[in-house]
Amino acid sequence: MADSEKMVPTKVLPTADVYPKRIMEYIEGFLISKTLFTSCELGVFDVLLGSERSLSAEEISQAVGASLDGTERLLAACTGMQILNRHQVDGKVSYSNTEQARLFLTRSSPLSLYQSIHYHSKTIYLCWHYLTDAVREGRNQYEKAFGVSSGDLFEAIYRSDVEMVKFMQLMHSIWNICGKDVVTAFDLSPFKVICDLGGCSGALAKHCTSAYPECTVTIFDLPKVVHMSKKHFIKEDDQRISFHEGDFFKDSLPEAELYILARILHDWTDERCVELLQRIYKACKPGGAVLVVEALLNKDGSGPLTTQLYSLNMLVQTEGRERTDVQYAALLTAAGFTNIRHCLTGKIYDAVLGHKKA
Ligand code: SAM
Ligand code: ASE
């Protein structure tokens, strides 16, 4: 009998009904996240992208500067997770990127989620260490996780220049995969003068100018963020995009026909949201509108799971929460907006549009 035949199991146990498959998956969920984070951080997918052929574990371990044994186990797990392909020719094993890995996990891809993965690994994962405290206390955990005061939310998030750029890269990267969907969820072509409040890196501003050839967009954000955006994200050559430095809770807002609030309201309490929306209503041209871009919870809060988890993340990281379309409509109504509609995009972020009477 050949050796390989001896290894064939003679008896396969039927899966017992009592095996708690889902709970086992949940217990181990973070092992999957960490395997992905580490593979990205070591540059496994970038090394494979740079090679014309599939590579052995030894070649990959040398290229990323890691132990052979550790790399072999990491690559095996990546094949189990179906983000790497495993090839075997004449007993020699090699690995290559799957299409998904090439598109989303390599640093240089236009659809890269590398920066999002990096922030999840280096910041969100550490904050979530204190999830139990966050739930008990009902507040964010910057003091415990990073030793910074959480008195001013964005001073905590932007606790150093490096952290500011990392947060901006996180914000930027998701719009690679769903920016177009949120700016085209409604026909925004009637609005020529657009102001993106808390516009950050300018990723959504770019999607607006691409989708609507007649509009101009002002990116409104804190002075330091505007500085970083000019330095790292927006090249000066775009005639239709401009910047405005300010504090949207304190300073006067530029007049516009449409205000975009993407992932702003979920950072703040209902009271602060209404305060901000009232300021927008006052500055808005009659006949203008506000576009709220957020991940919407189902009306009864029953899902989607990702949004429910994001709401926990807002507890750990901000002063806000994720909300339902009805809850956003209530905030918009309290500030004076009417004719409020929402659109689910089928991806993570959705859109809510409210109008100011002409
Ligand atoms: N809209 C962007 C997006 O969806 O990718 C960024 C969302 S980020 C969660 C919140 C943004 O609001 C950051 O760019 C932050 O700098 C900005 N921001 C926070 N407080 C602000 C304030 N008081 N005035 C102006 N911008 C503020
Ligand atoms: C914020 C958005 C995010 C503030 C902090 C944040 C995100 C992560 N940290 O406005 C993006 C959404 N992702 C999650 C996991 O919530």
Side-chain angles (χ1 to χ4, degrees), residues 119-120 124 128 142 154 157 167 170-171 263-264 266-267 309-311 313-314 317-318 322 349:
Y119 197 85
H120 278 78
I124 299 177
W128 276 61
Y142 288 105
F154 278 86
I157 292 177
F167 184 81
L170 164 79
M171 289 297 119
R263 294 189 287 183
I264 304 298
H266 76 166
D267 289 336
L309 295 174
Y310 279 21
S311 199
N313 191 47
M314 291 303 106
Q317 288 216 288
T318 72
E322 304 300 352
Y349 290 109

Side-chain angles (χ1 to χ4, degrees), residues 52-121:
E52 298 201 330
R53 54 177 179 84
S54 58
L55 298 176
S56 68
E58 189 156 20
E59 289 169 320
I60 296 168
S61 75
Q62 279 167 10
V64 304
S67 71
L68 176 56
D69 177 39
T71 305
E72 276 171 343
R73 299 187 207 197
L74 188 70
L75 296 170
C78 286
T79 58
M81 284 164 64
Q82 301 181 34
I83 48 178
L84 287 182
N85 300 313
R86 182 182 187 274
H87 313 273
Q88 191 158 6
V89 180
D90 299 335
K92 285 206 174 74
V93 176
S94 62
Y95 300 88
S96 65
N97 281 334
T98 59
E99 185 66 1
Q100 293 254 313
R102 187 179 68 74
L103 282 176
F104 302 111
L105 302 177
T106 57
R107 289 188 78 149
S108 58
S109 165
L111 301 180
S112 183
L113 292 172
Y114 180 93
Q115 298 297 348
S116 172
I117 290 165
H118 186 75
Y119 197 85
H120 278 78
S121 172

Side-chain angles (χ1 to χ4, degrees), residues 22 27 30 42 62 72 75 89 147 155 159 168 184 202 207 228 243-245 247 249 258 276 280 290 314 355:
R22 186 175 292 159
I27 292 171
F30 78 98
L42 287 173
Q62 279 167 10
E72 276 171 343
L75 296 170
V89 180
E155 277 190 12
R159 56 199 169 278
M168 293 177 76
T184 58
H207 280 289
M228 287 295 191
F243 290 93
H244 189 117
E245 299 175 12
D247 180 329
F249 287 119
L258 178 74
L276 177 57
I280 295 170
V290 61
M314 291 303 106
H355 295 83

Side-chain angles (χ1 to χ4, degrees), residues 37-297:
F37 298 168
T38 293
S39 309
C40 278
E41 279 160 26
L42 287 173
V44 168
F45 308 107
D46 302 309
V47 164
L48 289 170
L49 180 73
S51 164
E52 298 201 330
R53 54 177 179 84
S54 58
L55 298 176
S56 68
E58 189 156 20
E59 289 169 320
I60 296 168
S61 75
Q62 279 167 10
V64 304
S67 71
L68 176 56
D69 177 39
T71 305
E72 276 171 343
R73 299 187 207 197
L74 188 70
L75 296 170
C78 286
T79 58
M81 284 164 64
Q82 301 181 34
I83 48 178
L84 287 182
N85 300 313
R86 182 182 187 274
H87 313 273
Q88 191 158 6
V89 180
D90 299 335
K92 285 206 174 74
V93 176
S94 62
Y95 300 88
S96 65
N97 281 334
T98 59
E99 185 66 1
Q100 293 254 313
R102 187 179 68 74
L103 282 176
F104 302 111
L105 302 177
T106 57
R107 289 188 78 149
S108 58
S109 165
L111 301 180
S112 183
L113 292 172
Y114 180 93
Q115 298 297 348
S116 172
I117 290 165
H118 186 75
Y119 197 85
H120 278 78
S121 172
K122 296 297 176 193
T123 299
I124 299 177
Y125 189 82
L126 304 184
C127 288
W128 276 61
H129 185 69
Y130 300 100
L131 178 62
T132 310
D133 301 78
V135 170
R136 278 211 183 97
E137 297 166 15
R139 60 194 201 88
N140 70 53
Q141 295 296 312
Y142 288 105
E143 297 187 359
K144 283 195 210 83
F146 302 110
V148 292
S149 157
S150 54
D152 181 313
L153 175 60
F154 278 86
E155 277 190 12
I157 292 177
Y158 298 150
R159 56 199 169 278
S160 67
D161 282 6
V162 171
E163 278 300 319
M164 180 180 281
V165 175
K166 283 203 292 186
F167 184 81
M168 293 177 76
Q169 285 169 329
L170 164 79
M171 289 297 119
H172 198 84
S173 69
I174 191 74
W175 301 127
N176 289 341
I177 55 173
C178 53
K180 189 177 174 202
D181 305 76
V182 299
V183 303
T184 58
F186 293 99
D187 176 14
L188 304 177
S189 62
F191 308 111
K192 310 290 187 239
V193 183
I194 301 177
C195 179
D196 187 359
L197 293 168
C200 201
S201 71
L204 269 193
K206 284 220 150 159
H207 280 289
C208 281
T209 54
S210 311
Y212 302 104
E214 288 175 47
C215 76
T216 60
V217 185
T218 302
I219 298 164
F220 184 105
D221 214 303
L222 300 165
K224 240 188 141 185
V225 178
V226 167
H227 177 80
M228 287 295 191
S229 183
K230 286 179 181 168
K231 188 168 165 196
H232 296 284
F233 296 94
I234 299 266
K235 299 283 163 282
E236 296 292 342
D237 59 2
D238 199 330
Q239 304 291 318
R240 292 163 57 211
I241 295 181
S242 59
F243 290 93
H244 189 117
E245 299 175 12
D247 180 329
F248 52 44
F249 287 119
K250 294 194 185 124
D251 299 321
S252 69
L253 305 179
E255 191 186 53
E257 294 164 4
L258 178 74
Y259 294 87
I260 297 177
L261 282 177
R263 294 189 287 183
I264 304 298
L265 298 182
H266 76 166
D267 289 336
W268 306 105
T269 60
D270 286 0
E271 292 69 31
R272 294 221 92 189
C273 288
V274 173
E275 202 184 305
L276 177 57
L277 287 166
Q278 283 171 336
R279 305 188 92 240
I280 295 170
Y281 190 83
K282 283 205 190 91
C284 186
K285 280 210 168 177
V290 61
L291 180 77
V292 173
V293 176
E294 297 284 0
L296 293 181
L297 285 168

Side-chain angles (χ1 to χ4, degrees), residues 325-337:
D325 59 308
V326 175
Q327 289 172 321
Y328 281 114
L331 298 175
L332 289 165
T333 305
F337 290 99

